[in-house]
Each structure stands twice: as C-alpha cells, then as structure tokens.
Amino acid sequence: MKVEIVISLMSCCIAGCFWVTTKHEGDALQRDIDSLNARTSTKARVLDAQIDQLQSVVDAATKVLKRNDADIGADVDELHTDVRSLNGLDASIANSMTGLQTQITTYQRANDGRIDALEQRIAQLETGMPSPNSSPDELWRLGSEAFNNRRYTDAIEIFGRLTSRWPAYPRAADAVYFEGQSYSDLHDWDHAIGMYETLLRTFPTSMLADDGLYLAAEAAENLKNCTDARAYLGLIKKNYPKSNVLSEAAHLDTTLRRVLRDKSKCRP
C-alpha cells in the first residue's frame, strides 16, 4: 500500500499534478521511506554476506582445482616416467627373450645332435650296422664282427664303405681281402675275383696279397676257368716266393694241370 502511495505521488509530479499533503501524511511517508531504506540495507548486507560466502567457496574451489591440477601434473609426470621405465623394461625383456631363445635354439640343436647320435648308436648295436658318421676303426670292427658272424652281405657293405672313404686306412688292404672272402663264402665268384685283383693291384705289398691270389685261383676253378686259376697261382710263385700258401698253390696247380683238358671241369 505504501509503495502504491509513492508511485502515485511520482506520477502526479511527472504529469504536472500537484499533490498537497498534510504533515501527518508526510511523516507517514517518511516512515515508509525509512523502513524501505532499512529493508534495502538489510537485504544488501545479506547479499553481501552471501556474495562473500560464495567468493570463499569459489576461492576454496579454485585452490582445490589448482592443487588438483598440480597433483594431476605430478601424476602425469610420474606416469610418463613409469611409461619410460616400462619401455626400457620391455626392451630389456625383449633382449633377454632374444638371448634366451638363442640359447634354447642352441641347446635344442645340441640336444638333437646327441639324440641322433644315441639313436644311431642304438640302431648300430641292434643291427650291427654302422652309422653314417662311423669312424674307420668302428667300420673295421663292425665289418669284422659281421664277417665272423657269417653276415657276409653286411661285411661286404661295411668293408666297402671303409675302403671307399678311407683308402689310406692302415687296414684298408685287409678290408679289401675280407670283402673278397665274403664274396667267396657267398659263392659270388666273379665279384670275389674282382676284389682279389683289386687287392693285388692296389696293395701289392700287403701280407694278404698272396692269400688273395690263392683264393682268386679257387674262385676261377669254381668258374671252370682253369687257365686263369693257374695264372693266379703262377703269380704267387713268381712274386711271393716265401708265401705261406706256396705249397697249397703248387698242389692246386698240379690238380688243375691234370684236369685242364677235362671239359666238365675246365672250360676251353
């Protein structure tokens, strides 16, 4: 109501109206104005307090944000450091893994080689046959075992491998001789003669060369090649006058000479 009185008064002034008030009305109007000023002042103080409180809250939030920003920055820096450390650790692990893989590969190869060697050794023991990597001594031993056990085919293979791979081996001449004798025991006379001729041609000074000639003569006799047989016997007498088979050779030559014209025993 009091506000309406003030507004009416102002409207009259603007419109050129003149309001005549009494002293009582003037006092009442002054009281209304004072009351309005008091309320306005009170409201202003309340607003100022609220503004101050809000500013405090804003300042506190700003401090928190700044502190959080600093903490976040520190966390980010720490995270970057951790990432760099992890990258270095990853590189170190990768290098270690590469080195470990190399060691594993080397071990596997060495282990595979040992396993292959063991398997070859087991197969060798089970079959009496050499491995691809057998030494000449081992070939000689296995060949001799095969011959003594009458495994003549195996003996031929083993002795043949020995003489072809190690022709300068100290017992290479003996290997040729026993290869020929293995053929003789198999009654493969042609191959037997071929080995005895190889022995004479390659190792003429061998202690078994004269024995080989005698066995060649026997093989030729079995083929009814009496003339060839006598030729081998003649070489014993000529080249090896101190041979231990000299008497046997003379006896066989006498026999061959007697049947030389017998077509059932000697081919022309």
Side-chain angles (χ1 to χ4, degrees), residues 24 40 54 61 64 71 77 81 90 92 110-111 131 146 148 152 155 158 163 165 171-172 177 207 219 224 253:
H24 174 73
T40 301
L54 180 60
V64 171
D71 292 341
D77 291 339
T81 301
D90 183 63
S92 177
N111 197 45
S131 69
N148 293 332
Y152 299 122
I158 297 170
T163 55
R165 294 182 62 182
R171 306 207 67 172
Y177 171 81
M207 294 181 62
K224 299 181 180 181
D253 185 62

Side-chain angles (χ1 to χ4, degrees), residues 225-238:
N225 294 330
C226 298
T227 302
D228 291 346
R230 293 193 67 204
Y232 294 133
L233 296 171
L235 288 174
I236 296 175
K237 183 178 180 180
K238 176 182 178 182

Side-chain angles (χ1 to χ4, degrees), residues 54-113:
L54 180 60
Q55 185 64 48
S56 298
V57 171
V58 171
D59 291 342
T62 301
K63 291 179 180 179
V64 171
L65 289 175
K66 288 181 179 180
R67 185 170 61 252
N68 288 342
D69 287 343
D71 292 341
I72 290 172
D75 291 341
V76 170
D77 291 339
E78 183 178 357
L79 182 60
H80 286 165
T81 301
D82 291 342
V83 169
R84 286 192 294 270
S85 298
L86 288 174
N87 288 335
L89 181 61
D90 183 63
S92 177
I93 292 173
N95 292 333
S96 298
M97 288 295 293
T98 301
L100 182 60
Q101 185 61 46
T102 301
Q103 293 178 3
I104 291 173
T105 301
T106 302
Y107 173 78
Q108 286 177 338
R109 288 176 180 172
N111 197 45
D112 290 344

